[in-house]
Amino acid sequence: MSAATHFTAPLQSSPAMFTDEQVKCIANTDSQTIAAWVRSAAGQRHIMYTPSILRKFAEAASRLSDADVELDEIEHLLIALRRAHVLTQRQRTMLQAAYLQR
Amino acid sequence: MELNVLDPFGDYETAGYLRNFECVKDLDVIAKLEAAAFKDNVVDAVRRLRRRPSLAYSDVLETHRLLFNSVYPWAGEDRSIHAPDIAITRAGYKTLFTHPKDIAAPPTMPSTVPQMPQTCVNTQEKSSATSPTPILSSKETAVRFSPSSANNAAAPASTCAGISSKKTNSCTC
C-alpha cells in the first residue's frame, strides 16, 4: 500500500532524496519525460496518492476561494512524493510548473 | 487585450504572477500550483491550529506561510509590507479583504459606548423619579452593543471608504 504517509509526516521536512540540481535537470525536460520520471520515482518506492480525510474540506475550501481546479494523476503523485519526503516542497512546485508548461 | 492581473510589485511581465518562485505568468497554472500547495499542506496547517489554545494574527500569517511558501517567497508576510496601498477583493465578489491593521488590532468596543453598568443603575433610579429620557439612552446603548454594530466598529466605515477609493484589483490566491 501507499508509503505516502499523509497523517504521520512531521511538520519539519526531512532532507529530500534528490538534490535541487537533479530535480532541475528533470524539470528542464518535456512534460512526458517529467510524467514518466514521476511515475517511476513513485513506483520504485511504492508510493501512491491516497486522498486524505480532509479531502472534502480541501475541496470545499478550494471552491470557496474560486480556485476549484482538478489536479491530475501526476500532480497528485508529486504531492505524494513530497509527503513521503522524496521531494521538497520547492522541488514539487518546480516539477509541477514544468510539467504544466512544457 | 489588457489583462486585469493583480500586480502589486509591478513586475508581472518579468517575475510572473506575484513573484512566484517559478516566474509563472499563466493564471491557470498558478491556480494549480496553489491548489497543489494547499492540498499538500492543509493537514499540517489544521493540525497546527488545533494545537493552539487561542488564535492570534500571527497564526493567520503562519497558516498562510505553511500553505503557500512553496509557491510564493513572501507567503506569511503581512500584506501591509508588500501591498500597503492596494485594496483587494476576491475575484467575483465586491467585499474588500480586511486591511491588515484591522486584522491585527485586538477587538475593542466602540469608544462612544457609555460606561456600564453603574451608570445605568444610577440612570434608572433617576429616571423613575424624573423623566423617561434615560430609558431611551438605555435602548440606544443596546443597539450599539448588538453584534452587527460591534462588527462595524471593528472595521469603521471611514476605513472602508478610504481604501475603496484607491486602486482595486482581483486576487486569486
Side-chain angles (χ1 to χ4, degrees):
Chain A
M1 189 49 195
S2 170
T5 50
H6 291 197
F7 307 112
T8 57
L11 287 175
Q12 292 79 20
S13 57
S14 56
M17 295 180 181
F18 298 96
T19 66
D20 287 347
E21 287 304 313
Q22 289 174 316
V23 172
K24 203 173 288 183
C25 285
I26 303 299
N28 283 333
T29 61
D30 58 58
S31 289
Q32 287 187 334
T33 306
I34 294 171
W37 183 87
V38 169
R39 285 196 188 96
S40 172
Q44 288 172 8
R45 294 165 181 80
H46 308 288
I47 292 172
M48 298 166 57
Y49 175 77
T50 52
S52 73
I53 56 172
L54 285 175
R55 181 191 60 178
K56 287 188 176 180
F57 168 76
E59 289 173 351
S62 294
R63 281 195 297 275
L64 286 172
S65 66
D66 294 331
D68 191 13
V69 297
E70 288 290 329
L71 304 181
D72 69 12
E73 171 215 355
I74 299 302
E75 292 173 289
H76 280 130
L77 279 177
L78 284 169
I79 293 173
L81 286 167
R82 207 295 299 170
R83 288 180 177 172
H85 303 290
V86 175
L87 298 172
T88 65
Q89 298 212 32
R90 285 291 315 282
Q91 290 171 349
R92 184 211 67 227
T93 303
M94 185 190 301
L95 286 171
Q96 185 189 8
Y99 168 70
L100 293 170
Q101 295 184 109
R102 293 180 194 277
Chain B
M1 186 181 74
E2 186 180 348
L3 287 175
N4 184 21
V5 177
L6 180 65
D7 186 19
F9 301 113
D11 54 8
Y12 167 78
E13 289 298 329
T14 54
Y17 180 72
L18 296 181
R19 290 184 177 170
N20 66 88
F21 278 118
E22 304 305 320
C23 300
V24 173
K25 294 169 67 178
D26 186 328
L27 297 186
D28 291 332
V29 174
I30 284 290
K32 298 196 87 175
L33 295 182
E34 289 179 356
F38 182 87
K39 281 192 172 186
D40 192 351
N41 295 294
V42 66
V43 173
D44 288 342
V46 170
R47 184 186 292 154
R48 180 189 176 278
L49 290 175
R50 290 180 69 177
R51 288 198 198 110
R52 304 284 294 161
S54 62
L55 299 179
Y57 182 51
S58 58
D59 295 304
V60 176
L61 298 179
E62 178 61 12
T63 300
H64 190 269
R65 191 192 68 78
L66 277 173
L67 291 175
F68 298 114
N69 74 343
S70 62
V71 181
Y72 301 110
W74 47 263
E77 293 181 8
D78 191 294
R79 197 177 342 127
S80 63
I81 297 172
H82 301 296
D85 299 322
I86 297 178
I88 300 174
T89 65
R90 169 65 61 198
Y93 297 87
K94 292 180 180 176
T95 306
L96 289 168
F97 280 21
T98 302
H99 192 278
K101 287 179 181 174
D102 291 334
I103 301 172
T108 55
M109 299 306 293
S111 59
T112 55
V113 174
Q115 293 298 310
M116 298 281 279
Q118 188 62 42
T119 305
C120 274
V121 172
N122 293 338
T123 303
Q124 294 280 349
E125 288 171 351
K126 287 180 182 177
S127 68
S128 61
T130 55
S131 72
T133 306
I135 297 173
L136 291 175
S137 295
S138 178
K139 285 180 182 176
E140 188 180 350
T141 300
V143 171
R144 284 174 179 163
F145 269 109
S146 68
S148 60
S149 295
N151 288 339
N152 289 339
S158 59
T159 304
C160 295
I163 56 177
S164 63
S165 63
K166 296 172 184 172
K167 181 181 178 183
T168 301
N169 277 319
S170 296
C171 178
T172 60
C173 65

